[in-house]
């Protein structure tokens, strides 16, 4: 069940990222023009991705031992997440997000 929630979270994150980047690009396009908007948004994305990768590397650097991984697997197996609740919550987030953007 953990993989199902992980997949739903990844899909929700990808959806929200694409929608927010589109809104960001539209806002920059009206301010600077289309070509400058693409350049600025690409630079911002590269900086954001670099910082995100640095933080991910730093957070996983000390957790690479087999005992720690086995303990995490045991905790995940004992406490199965409520998949339907999380799916409903994510659906609610999508609907609210679309209403706020005025797409529905």
């Amino acid at each position: 069940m953990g993989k199902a929630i992980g997949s739903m979270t990844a899909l929700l994150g990808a959806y929200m990222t694409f929608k927010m980047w589109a809104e960001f690009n539209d806002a920059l396009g009206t301010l600077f023009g289309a070509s400058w908007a693409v350049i600025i948004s690409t630079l911002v994305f590269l900086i954001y991705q670099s910082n995100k990768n640095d933080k991910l590397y730093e957070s996983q650097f000390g957790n690479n031992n087999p005992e720690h991984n086995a303990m995490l697997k045991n905790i995940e197996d004992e406490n199965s997440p409520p998949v339907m609740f999380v799916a409903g919550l994510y659906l609610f987030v999508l609907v609210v997000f679309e209403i706020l953007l005025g797409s529905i």
Side-chain angles (χ1 to χ4, degrees):
M1 285 198 204
K3 291 183 181 182
I5 290 179
S7 298
M8 286 189 296
T9 302
L11 288 173
L12 179 68
Y15 170 78
M16 297 289 276
T17 300
F18 288 131
K19 287 295 250 185
M20 286 187 277
W21 275 107
E23 292 292 321
F24 179 66
N25 198 15
D26 288 344
L28 282 177
T30 58
L31 189 61
F32 295 110
S35 60
W36 278 105
V38 170
I39 293 169
I40 293 170
S41 61
T42 302
L43 289 175
V44 169
F45 176 74
L46 290 175
I47 292 168
Y48 167 76
Q49 194 65 31
S50 175
N51 290 341
K52 183 177 156 185
N53 288 341
D54 289 344
K55 287 179 184 178
L56 180 66
Y57 176 76
E58 289 172 5
S59 69
Q60 290 181 348
F61 184 68
N63 299 332
N64 218 6
N65 58 8
E67 294 142 1
H68 184 266
N69 293 340
M71 181 184 70
L72 287 178
K73 177 87 170 129
N74 188 24
I75 290 173
E76 288 175 358
D77 289 342
E78 290 175 0
N79 302 319
S80 61
V83 176
M84 292 307 292
F85 173 74
V86 173
L89 183 65
Y90 285 176
L91 182 63
F92 175 74
V93 167
L94 282 174
V95 169
V96 169
F97 188 72
E98 287 296 322
I99 289 172
L100 290 175
L101 287 178
S103 297
I104 290 183

